[in-house]
Amino acid sequence: MTLPVPGPFVMSAPMSTVPSSPPAAVARHAATDGGRRPGRAALGRKAAFAATIAACGLAWWWLATHHIVPPEQNAPAAGPATGVAAGDVVVLPAATTGSEVAAVGPQSLRGHLTVPGRLDYDARYRLDYGAPVDGIVSRVLVQVRQRVARGDSLAEISSPDVGTARDDIRRREADQEIARHAAEWTETIAGNVDALLAYLARRPSLADVEAAFEGRLLGAYREAILGAYSRLVFVEKVSDSTAQLGAGGVLSGRIVEERTSNLEVARANYLAACEEAQFAVRQKRDQARAELAQADRLVQIARENLRTLVGSRLDTDVGGRGSGTVAIEEEGEAGTGSTGATTGLSTLVLRTPFDGLVEDVFVARGERVKAGDRMFVVADTGTLWVRAQIHERQWTTVEVAEGQEVRVKVPGAGDHDTTARVSHVGATVEADSRSVPLVAELENDDAHYKPGMFVWVDLPQGEPREVLAVPAAGVTRHQGKTFVFVPAGRDEEGRPRYRRVGITTGIEEGGYVEVTRGLAAGDEVVTTGAFTLKSELLLEDESTPGAEGGGG
């Protein structure tokens, strides 16, 4: 019910005539009863009063059933000619720079699945140093948050086990050196014997043989071979003279036969000496080679024993960034510490195999440690791992492969967006989470990201498709509503006006956002300056009583 207001008013429906039947009935009733009731004047006054009451009741009923509207409420409401609420239009302040607009148009975008993840150390470049052997920490050369380069010393441990292992290496190396000299000796003699036998095959004189092989190593084979050769040469000369004398009848046939037999024996002895020498020298050469190879193996085993003793992780090339030879000192007395001082045979120098940062130190100088006790944590955070989990029900909907780039959002770093390259995808589904693990490499040269940060990982889905899209810079959000600003002419002072238009979005990729509702192809939206317009609009909404900030 609308109560009447003072002053002139307009009725929304014409007033009907008030019925007069009740007062007439009262009059007729008074006329018929006039003879029976005294006081005709009093009865008239009562009838008039009753008629007035009836008239007032009918008037009140009519007013209660009809709306009376003040004239000012019938006037047309003020607002933009476009029919848009005044709160949706904002004027760019004169002090601000001009805005830029972009046209809405088709773009090839691809859907994606967003899964949670976290940043972690790259396992190849994080080293949790445990004490490799039992011993005493003689030096701690670094402190927490100290940056170290590949090969820098971290600490020194004095351990008798290390001294024993190094002594074994020294002994094996000495045996190896002896075997090498023996092998070189036999190789030289074998070569010279082969050369001598080839030279004697030309039947030179003894003088020529001595001259050709003077100073060349032949060992005991010189006497054996040259003695048999000298005997053969002598017997051949005697045999030649015997044949001449026997032909002249000077010598008897028995003497000739004896000397001929001696020649055959000399030849046989010479051939036997050559064959024996050739076989013996080759056998000794092969034996020396085998002994040298055995000595080499024993040295290698001794070194591997030392590496196993101090921990294989300390002398392994990590990911190609460092050399295994810088992780431990094998030479003992020949090695030097970080200060240039000579280290003892039992002193083990721990070195870092890659550039990084000392993130924690757990030991102090003079502390006794056992094998496996934590000592240092050194890490290189230039590359981090993004670990994500893809549920088995969603696995078939995404398309990821090693080497592929994926988009990563890091809310803890100011909602910083970046990309990572997929390193590997799990081959099995984890039993606890029923998810497939994914690991991607994230470059972190400026140390902007920290291990342990929560991230969102966008994984591509399906094939790219043509959609209506706007630049992401032009899309603003507030209180769960998404909107853009479009040009709306100029105001009375010539300043540009912009109108807020609520939109519904879809795929977001590559700096563009799909628009499924609210805009048409060819519409222009503000890109540069959209944030300023949003701020101005929110300020106007806050200064207007009852206004809703950030409506769509």
Side-chain angles (χ1 to χ4, degrees):
M1 179 179 65
T2 304
L3 298 177
V5 297
F9 59 87
V10 178
M11 295 183 294
S12 60
M15 182 180 293
S16 60
T17 305
V18 178
S20 59
S21 55
V26 173
R28 287 195 298 271
H29 179 73
T32 57
D33 293 344
R36 290 177 294 187
R37 293 186 181 181
R40 186 181 297 270
L43 291 175
R45 287 193 298 272
K46 292 180 179 179
F49 178 74
T52 302
I53 293 300
C56 291
L58 290 174
W60 181 258
W61 170 82
W62 188 90
L63 290 174
T65 57
H66 293 74
H67 295 280
I68 300 175
V69 182
E72 60 271 16
Q73 292 187 11
N74 286 336
T82 58
V84 182
D88 285 341
V89 176
V90 62
V91 177
L92 190 66
T96 60
T97 58
S99 60
E100 296 181 2
V101 298
V104 180
Q107 291 289 336
S108 178
L109 301 183
R110 190 178 190 181
H112 59 268
L113 171 68
T114 302
V115 297
R118 64 181 176 87
L119 297 182
D120 198 0
Y121 290 100
D122 187 335
R124 299 169 298 177
Y125 307 118
R126 182 181 185 274
L127 197 55
D128 195 344
Y129 278 83
V133 292
D134 297 348
I136 297 177
V137 179
S138 56
R139 279 185 179 184
V140 177
L141 304 173
V142 294
Q143 55 187 354
V144 177
R145 305 304 296 172
Q146 178 178 336
R147 184 161 294 280
V148 293
R150 181 177 66 89
D152 285 352
S153 301
L154 301 176
E156 294 180 1
I157 299 178
S158 179
S159 171
D161 294 337
V162 174
T164 302
R166 283 185 176 145
D167 178 70
D168 186 52
I169 292 177
R170 297 286 184 86
R171 181 167 57 84
R172 298 298 182 183
E173 287 177 343
D175 293 341
Q176 180 189 42
E177 190 65 21
I178 294 173
R180 179 177 293 108
H181 287 307
E184 292 175 354
W185 177 274
T186 56
E187 288 284 351
T188 302
I189 291 179
N192 291 338
V193 167
D194 290 339
L196 175 62
L197 295 178
Y199 188 75
L200 293 178
R202 295 181 293 181
R203 307 307 298 274
S205 64
L206 288 175
D208 293 339
V209 173
E210 292 294 341
F213 285 86
E214 184 179 2
R216 299 179 66 174
L217 293 176
L218 291 172
Y221 304 105
R222 180 186 297 272
E223 180 181 358
I225 296 174
L226 292 183
Y229 182 73
S230 175
R231 176 66 178 172
L232 175 61
V233 170
F234 173 75
V235 173
E236 286 179 342
K237 290 181 178 179
V238 172
S239 178
D240 291 340
S241 62
T242 299
Q244 294 176 0
L245 294 175
V250 176
L251 297 177
S252 64
R254 185 177 61 84
I255 295 176
V256 172
E257 290 177 357
E258 288 179 355
R259 292 181 177 179
T260 301
S261 176
N262 292 337
L263 176 61
E264 297 298 332
V265 172
R267 286 176 178 174
N269 290 336
Y270 170 71
L271 291 176
C274 292
E275 291 173 354
E276 288 178 1
Q278 195 171 31
F279 173 79
V281 74
R282 290 179 180 178
Q283 187 178 33
K284 287 186 177 181
R285 181 185 61 187
D286 293 342
Q287 183 178 358
R289 288 177 178 177
E291 290 175 354
L292 177 59
Q294 176 69 8
D296 292 340
R297 287 193 297 270
L298 292 176
V299 170
Q300 185 65 24
I301 291 173
R303 289 177 177 174
E304 289 177 358
N305 287 337
L306 176 61
R307 291 191 179 98
T308 302
L309 179 65
V310 302
S312 60
R313 195 175 182 186
L314 294 181
D315 68 330
T316 302
D317 186 6
V318 182
R321 289 193 178 182
S323 171
T325 59
V326 302
I328 59 173
E329 289 283 358
E330 292 182 357
E331 297 303 325
E333 295 175 352
T336 56
S338 60
T339 61
T342 301
T343 60
L345 191 63
S346 298
T347 300
L348 174 66
V349 181
L350 300 182
R351 301 181 184 273
T352 174
F354 53 79
D355 299 346
L357 195 68
V358 179
E359 298 199 345
D360 219 334
V361 178
F362 302 98
V363 294
R365 181 180 178 181
E367 183 177 349
R368 182 178 294 277
V369 294
K370 294 184 178 181
D373 290 350
R374 298 186 72 187
M375 297 185 66
F376 307 95
V377 174
V378 179
D380 179 7
T381 57
T383 302
L384 295 179
W385 275 1
V386 178
R387 294 184 180 271
Q389 299 288 333
I390 309 172
H391 198 273
E392 60 181 350
R393 289 178 296 182
Q394 300 172 321
W395 168 248
T396 57
T397 66
V398 299
E399 297 181 7
V400 291
E402 294 184 4
Q404 178 179 343
E405 283 193 351
V406 294
R407 188 170 59 182
V408 179
K409 296 181 180 179
V410 189
D415 203 17
H416 197 280
D417 291 358
T418 185
T419 58
R421 189 174 299 277
V422 177
S423 173
H424 56 272
V425 180
T428 60
V429 175
E430 294 182 351
D432 296 337
S433 62
R434 307 306 304 169
S435 300
V436 178
L438 178 144
V439 175
E441 294 183 7
L442 174 67
E443 294 298 327
N444 187 37
D445 294 335
D446 57 354
H448 187 71
Y449 308 110
K450 302 297 182 183
M453 281 185 167
F454 177 81
V455 297
W456 291 107
V457 183
D458 290 339
L459 305 177
Q461 282 184 311
E463 296 295 331
R465 56 189 178 89
E466 291 287 333
V467 298
L468 197 65
V470 296
V475 179
T476 57
R477 296 176 175 86
H478 185 66
Q479 292 184 350
K481 298 179 181 180
T482 305
F483 51 90
V484 297
F485 291 95
V486 300
R490 295 181 177 271
D491 64 358
E492 296 80 0
E493 299 179 4
R495 296 178 301 175
R497 297 193 309 172
Y498 300 93
R499 179 167 53 91
R500 176 180 58 187
V501 176
I503 61 173
T504 304
T505 60
I507 302 172
E508 184 174 351
E509 183 191 24
Y512 284 89
V513 179
E514 177 189 8
V515 178
T516 59
R517 185 180 178 184
L519 295 174
D523 291 348
E524 292 185 337
V525 300
V526 177
T527 54
T528 303
F531 179 78
T532 303
L533 294 175
K534 174 186 174 182
S535 302
E536 290 294 325
L537 185 64
L538 295 180
L539 290 175
E540 292 182 5
D541 289 345
E542 292 177 358
S543 62
T544 304
E548 294 182 1

